[in-house]
Amino acid sequence: DIQMTQSPSSLSVSVGDRVTITCRASQTINRYLNWYQHKPGKAPKLLIDAASNLQSGVPSRFSGSGSGTDFTLTISSLQPEDFATYYCQQSYSTPRTFGQGTKVEIK
Amino acid sequence: QVQLQESGPGLVKPSQTLSLTCSVSGGSISSGAYYWTWFRQPAGKGLEWIGRIYTSGSTYYNPSLNSRVTISLDTSKNQFSLNLYSVTAADTAVYYCAREDDYKGGADFWGQGTLVTVSS
């Protein structure tokens, strides 16, 4: 299985801050990398697929980059509704695997 | 807009079978290049991919579940189902059904999730 490692595991930030979350794969996954936002009691929401392809309806303050083994999710200016846990997931091979998550909390 | 909804017992006894159904509306499960997938999340832990079934009926399961899982399609009801056999307390989790895009790879539509507790 491909191991996905996210960092940091948690972030304490303020509204308006720039947030960067990194994800590293244990082997190359080209650009088969997805980012999800997960809020308590809700379904995970796909934000970005193919490393940088923003899903329809997702605000442009979210962006993704990277290829191979190293990837980044950036939120340019954090809004109140962005406090959540973020997961990366590889879709290069099965079984699909996730990073352990990054919890973005209010400072 | 595709919508998914999980249903099934919220409590299962140890060693028994966990059975969940996902009802799909807004699209046919037998058309398009999509996988119909199950995920789960134990309390306080991350997301785990359980397995999936293609529109053709072919399946793939997470080897970590040691062959305890089957996923099936019921095209007449536009539903797909999960059976997890010989459950233990470690299988207690919120279970989600979702649609995975074959080309893009991400799961773009999800159910709201259902909590299943394994306890006697």
Side-chain angles (χ1 to χ4, degrees):
Chain A
D1 299 3
I2 297 175
Q3 306 304 314
M4 306 299 294
T5 304
Q6 273 181 249
S7 62
S9 57
S10 65
L11 274 176
S12 184
V13 296
S14 300
V15 172
D17 285 354
R18 182 181 181 88
V19 171
T20 300
I21 299 168
T22 63
C23 180
R24 174 165 287 178
S26 60
Q27 65 181 75
T28 183
I29 57 170
N30 295 335
R31 292 178 59 82
Y32 291 94
L33 190 284
N34 310 305
W35 289 100
Y36 297 87
Q37 177 191 67
H38 196 194
K39 297 180 180 180
K42 298 289 185 77
K45 177 183 179 181
L46 179 64
L47 298 176
I48 288 169
D49 65 19
S52 61
N53 181 47
L54 201 67
Q55 297 300 288
S56 175
V58 175
S60 59
R61 62 181 179 272
F62 291 91
S63 63
S65 64
S67 66
T69 60
D70 294 309
F71 302 87
T72 300
L73 173 70
T74 300
I75 310 172
S76 59
S77 177
L78 198 78
Q79 298 303 299
E81 60 269 30
D82 300 336
F83 291 97
T85 300
Y86 293 85
Y87 293 93
C88 62
Q89 180 213 29
Q90 62 83 17
S91 49
Y92 179 80
S93 66
T94 49
R96 302 291 195 242
T97 46
F98 290 87
Q100 78 278 20
T102 296
K103 188 172 185 179
V104 178
E105 299 175 298
I106 302 172
K107 183 181 286 184
Chain B
Q1 178 87 341
V2 175
Q3 293 184 313
L4 298 92
Q5 179 66 57
E6 305 88 352
S7 60
L11 180 64
V12 181
K13 288 182 167 52
S15 80
Q16 294 192 342
T17 298
L18 181 160
S19 295
L20 295 174
T21 296
C22 183
S23 299
V24 179
S25 58
S28 170
I29 63 169
S30 56
S31 64
Y34 301 112
Y35 292 98
W36 302 95
T37 304
W38 288 95
F39 298 87
R40 67 180 182 180
Q41 184 176 36
K45 296 188 178 182
L47 291 162
E48 180 182 26
W49 185 89
I50 296 172
R52 68 188 188 186
I53 187 164
Y54 196 54
T55 51
S56 65
S58 62
T59 54
Y60 189 91
Y61 305 126
N62 194 326
S64 69
L65 292 168
N66 295 324
S67 303
R68 294 192 295 128
V69 61
T70 60
I71 297 173
S72 58
L73 280 176
D74 186 339
T75 55
S76 67
K77 295 181 179 179
N78 217 41
Q79 295 175 338
F80 62 106
S81 298
L82 169 71
N83 283 318
L84 183 63
Y85 307 101
S86 304
V87 297
T88 70
D91 295 309
T92 294
V94 176
Y95 285 76
Y96 297 96
C97 60
R99 187 185 83 168
E100 282 187 297
D101 189 303
D102 186 21
Y103 297 117
K104 297 180 178 180
D108 53 1
F109 291 99
W110 294 67
Q112 283 296 104
T114 187
L115 173 62
V116 179
T117 301
V118 178
S119 174
S120 55

